[in-house]
Amino acid sequence: MTQYDVIIVGGGLVGASLALALADSGRKIALLEGSDARFEDLEQGWDARIYAVSPLNRRFLEQLQAWPDMSRIGTIASMDVCGDAGGRIQFSASDAGASALAWIVENRWLLASLWQRLADSPVQCLTGVRPVSLSTTASMACLTLEDGRALHASLVVGADGANSWVRSQTELAASIKPYGQSGVVANFSCEKPHGNIARQWFTGDSILAWLPMAGNRISMVWSTAKPDELMALSAEQLCARVAAAGNHQLGHLRLLGAAAAFPLRLIQPEAVVSQRLALVGDAAHTVHPLAGQGVNLGFQDAAKLAALLQAPGDAGDWMLLRRYERERREAVKTMQFTCDGLYRLFHTQHVPGLSWLRNTGLSLTNRLAPLKRQFARHAIGF
Ligand SMILES: Cc1cc2nc3c(=O)[nH]c(=O)nc-3n(C[C@H](O)[C@H](O)[C@H](O)COP(=O)(O)OP(=O)(O)OC[C@H]3O[C@@H](n4cnc5c(N)ncnc54)[C@H](O)[C@@H]3O)c2cc1C
């Protein structure tokens, strides 16, 4: 039997950043990751999974000394959002007095950077092994691993993603609403310079985003009800389809690596803490990727929980867990409400006047400097 203060199940971006943020807390921490967590051939190709990391979370990652090398990071200096019937809003980081709205970082570079730092830390990393049972009492949580080991901890944190095994082992019921869409992601090199502009089109039945990567490359996230149609296209056909959907704004596109599709769901657990247990990241909540905020919410869960756990005392103390839940609730609810509301606003057809209203709303906001400033400030996480 091995005893820890905190065992984190899931070493994705959120679990790994939480482990690192707790590394110097004086507590005994274990990070359990089901995959091998090996990061080889990082330089080869471009990861189709990218994140728009907000300035707040860049600071969090820099404090952990886990912000990757800037040479592969893109900058979003401004946004250009088009509605489905002529509406348009453009705003810049400079509207909020900042240099960037967000940075585009590849998943595997960020993960590698976190895991490299973990390798030099006191955190005990257990990789390539999964838990098979979880039980809690008033004083302890116990995990049994598939290799028979039993681990005990004051607190178990579920950071194991949207299909969280930890969540499924508890009484934490979650409402899971599929959007009936998938996010199709792929990277392209483009003929014309992207100008560090993130472009987004609400087409009525889908949402297409082009995010500026390092060099003259873009990362696409196309939220669509017909992912199979896109995934079945040849590289040339996909390039032509994506370029046309974006009105050829960046000229010809060339596909870099394979496209991938992720089903989109809204996950809202009734609670994110229970006896000796807390959820963070996608295990605790998901949002529609139209605002690129999923992992940003998760990093802030990690930052908040780590800050509360810096104080000495029982890591699984019920009052501490309730405080974590309370302090994250509003930010998560607001983001879920905003993204879900925007999604519904632009996907509701056949309501007389609604298309006019949403497009006029976009264009009107575009003409109101204070509102635009608010958009920009919100985007950078003020
Ligand atoms: C198409 C798409 C585009 C997106 N774009 C953005 C964006 O631009 N910006 C943004 O902020 N967010 C974005 N998101 C959301 C983002 O992907 C997630 O919020 C983020 O990956 C969640 O991180 P996580 O660490 O909580 O979970 P995950 O990344 O899912 O990591 C979970 C980890 O747990 C491990 N694991 C799972 N089960 C077990 C188990 N039983 N035992 C041990 N280990 C286990 C897994 O191997 C994995 O390493 C996007 C999502 C989609 C679908």
Side-chain angles (χ1 to χ4, degrees):
M1 186 187 84
T2 317
Q3 174 75 43
Y4 295 94
D5 288 306
V6 183
I7 300 175
I8 301 162
V9 181
L13 293 175
V14 177
S17 67
L18 174 62
L20 201 50
L22 288 172
D24 297 326
S25 62
R27 295 187 183 274
K28 196 169 173 199
I29 311 293
L31 177 62
L32 196 61
E33 167 54 43
S35 74
D36 284 339
R38 274 211 207 100
F39 304 97
E40 285 146 5
D41 302 324
L42 278 177
E43 306 280 347
Q44 269 180 21
W46 292 81
D47 195 346
R49 189 130 196 181
I50 56 88
Y51 301 103
V53 178
S54 71
L56 186 64
N57 286 317
R58 175 176 174 167
R59 283 196 293 280
F60 172 56
L61 293 165
E62 279 175 345
Q63 278 158 11
L64 301 179
Q65 294 172 33
W67 184 247
D69 185 86
M70 274 306 280
S71 63
R72 291 183 68 113
I73 295 181
T75 302
I76 302 183
S78 52
M79 286 212 58
D80 186 354
V81 183
C82 295
D84 56 332
R88 190 168 191 179
I89 181 165
Q90 293 156 304
F91 58 92
S92 301
S94 58
D95 291 327
S99 62
L101 292 169
W103 289 271
I104 300 297
V105 189
E106 293 163 273
N107 178 57
R108 64 173 196 224
W109 277 79
L110 199 44
L111 261 181
S113 172
L114 285 162
W115 275 85
Q116 264 159 24
R117 291 276 299 125
L118 280 168
D120 299 328
S121 80
V123 173
Q124 190 163 354
C125 297
L126 309 170
T127 59
V129 64
R130 286 173 181 260
V132 289
S133 77
L134 167 65
S135 58
T136 64
T137 65
S139 59
M140 187 81 67
C142 177
L143 275 175
T144 312
L145 307 189
E146 55 196 0
D147 59 11
R149 272 179 289 175
L151 311 180
H152 286 213
S154 303
L155 173 67
V156 167
V157 178
D160 48 348
N163 297 321
S164 176
W165 173 85
V166 171
R167 194 180 64 224
S168 72
Q169 299 301 299
T170 68
E171 81 278 15
L172 295 174
S175 123
I176 303 178
K177 283 191 229 153
Y179 278 108
Q181 288 192 332
S182 288
V184 178
V185 297
N187 296 330
F188 301 89
S189 63
C190 38
E191 188 188 359
K192 297 182 190 166
H194 54 54
N196 295 334
I197 301 169
R199 296 167 169 83
Q200 193 167 37
W201 293 268
F202 287 83
T203 68
D205 60 356
S206 72
I207 305 170
L208 172 66
W210 289 359
L211 304 166
M213 300 177 79
N216 212 23
R217 302 176 185 90
I218 53 164
S219 180
M220 171 195 81
V221 183
W222 199 340
S223 309
T224 168
K226 296 174 186 158
D228 297 345
E229 210 177 281
L230 292 177
M231 296 299 290
L233 297 176
S234 69
E236 290 73 28
Q237 288 168 330
L238 183 65
C239 290
R241 175 79 74 90
V242 173
N247 306 320
H248 303 280
Q249 282 194 15
L250 298 178
H252 290 296
L253 301 180
R254 189 169 60 82
L255 186 64
L256 304 169
F262 300 93
L264 303 179
R265 286 164 297 171
L266 177 67
I267 299 182
Q268 298 169 299
E270 281 162 18
V272 296
V273 297
S274 69
Q275 179 175 264
R276 305 253 154 223
L277 205 130
L279 301 176
V280 293
D282 275 19
H285 43 70
T286 60
V287 291
H288 195 284
L290 65 87
Q293 290 299 328
V295 85
N296 283 300
L297 280 178
F299 281 141
Q300 283 306 300
D301 293 347
K304 175 51 68 186
L305 188 55
L308 291 170
L309 286 168
Q310 296 300 325
D314 180 358
D317 176 60
W318 180 239
M319 296 312 285
L320 180 149
L321 297 182
R322 285 302 312 270
R323 202 169 150 200
Y324 159 69
E325 181 173 67
R326 250 193 337 269
E327 293 190 11
R328 291 300 298 142
R329 183 178 290 143
E330 201 189 329
V332 171
K333 280 208 155 152
T334 306
M335 189 55 73
Q336 287 186 322
F337 180 77
T338 309
C339 293
D340 196 51
L342 265 175
Y343 166 78
R344 286 184 198 295
L345 180 65
F346 277 93
H347 280 76
T348 307
Q349 309 294 333
H350 316 304
V351 176
L354 191 60
S355 170
W356 175 86
L357 193 65
R358 62 199 177 208
N359 284 280
T360 308
L362 272 186
S363 299
L364 207 59
T365 308
N366 197 38
R367 280 188 237 126
L368 298 172
L371 258 185
K372 270 182 29 162
R373 218 166 15 250
Q374 272 310 112
F375 260 79
R377 287 169 68 84
H378 197 74
I380 63 181
F382 267 94

